[in-house]
């Protein structure tokens, strides 16, 4: 079993790290565009009685 | 008489059991779909050969390959097109599927042609990963840094070739 698997990491974690390293290793002209994919944002709005209960978390 | 008949039945049954890994696919064309989060490289294009690095070893795929599923490991995927043109693309990770009808899907999280890789940037990523490995506080951080080192080394190797 590989070391990362033993440490409790999944292949998804592995894949994320690998993709991140690859994006950092690109030529400058492609890098800035690629680095935008590093972050992902999720916005959650809880709803109650048909209207948003809070703005977002 | 009965014995001869039984033998005949047995031979026939044995012959019927013989079967290859894959029931013969139609034609000997291989349609490749190769896509990543950042770009679609091939869309059902018929190609001659594909070489992929995977956790179950690196392997080449020709038409009529045994149906296979594998997990990609960071490295260079080489696609040989029908006119003999070779395309080398570095993949971070992902999956490879070889289907019964000889179609192949390579799905990567991030993939870039070798020309887009930068040697000095890869070197920088490698030293960053190595310093992270040295300062890793726990087992998990250590494993994460180890992955980064492995990938950066692989990128460096591909960029230097």
């Amino acid at each position: 079993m590989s070391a990362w698997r033993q440490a409790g990491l999944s292949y998804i974690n592995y894949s994320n790290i690998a993709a991140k390293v690859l994006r950092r290793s690109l030529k400058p002209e492609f890098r800035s565009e690629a680095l935008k994919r590093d972050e992902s944002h999720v916005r959650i709005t809880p709803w109650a009685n048909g209207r948003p209960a809070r703005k977002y978390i | 008489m009965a014995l001869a008949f039984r033998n005949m039945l047995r031979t026939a049954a044995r012959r019927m059991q013989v079967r290859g890994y894959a029931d013969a696919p139609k034609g000997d064309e291989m349609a490749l779909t190769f896509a990543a989060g950042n770009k679609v490289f091939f869309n059902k294009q018929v190609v001659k050969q594909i070489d992929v690095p995977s956790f179950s070893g690196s392997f080449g795929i020709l038409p009529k390959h045994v149906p296979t599923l594998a997990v990609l490991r960071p490295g260079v995927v080489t696609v040989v097109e029908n006119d003999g043109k070779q395309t080398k693309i570095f993949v971070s990770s992902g999956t490879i599927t070889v289907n019964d009808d000889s179609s192949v899907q390579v799905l990567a999280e991030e993939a870039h042609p070798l020309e887009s890789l930068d040697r000095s940037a890869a070197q920088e990523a490698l030293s960053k990963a190595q310093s992270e490995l040295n300062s890793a506080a726990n087992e998990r951080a250590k494993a994460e840094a180890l992955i980064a080192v492995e990938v950066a080394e692989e990128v460096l190797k591909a960029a230097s070739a």
Side-chain angles (χ1 to χ4, degrees), chain B residues 55-72:
Chain B
F55 275 103
S56 31
S58 296
F59 59 98
I61 305 156
L62 290 165
K64 295 187 179 175
H65 192 281
V66 182
T68 306
L69 280 173
V71 199
L72 292 178

Side-chain angles (χ1 to χ4, degrees), chain A residues 2-4 6-9 11-19 21-28 30-31 34 37, chain B residues 38 55 71-72 74 90 92-94 109-110 112 115-118 121-122 128 140 143-144 147-148 150-152 155:
Chain A
S2 42
W4 51 273
Q6 214 137 25
L9 292 172
Y11 184 69
I12 297 290
N13 301 132
Y14 180 99
S15 183
N16 283 162
I17 297 168
V21 173
L22 177 56
R23 285 193 279 260
R24 292 227 171 96
S25 313
L26 292 173
K27 285 189 177 150
F30 308 109
R31 205 181 306 152
R37 284 190 296 275
Chain B
N38 52 306
F55 275 103
V71 199
L72 292 178
F90 193 97
S92 66
S93 47
E109 172 150 0
E110 191 82 20
H112 293 275
E115 308 86 77
S116 305
L117 301 180
D118 188 284
K128 183 167 171 274
R140 200 184 162 93
E144 284 175 353
I147 297 170
E150 184 194 327
V151 178
V155 176

Side-chain angles (χ1 to χ4, degrees), chain B residues 8 13-14 24 33 41 45 69 109 120 130 133 135 142 144 152:
Chain B
M8 207 171 79
R14 202 174 293 139
T33 301
F41 291 91
Q45 193 179 321
L69 280 173
E109 172 150 0
S120 56
Q130 274 161 344
L133 179 59
S135 61
K142 201 174 147 198
E144 284 175 353

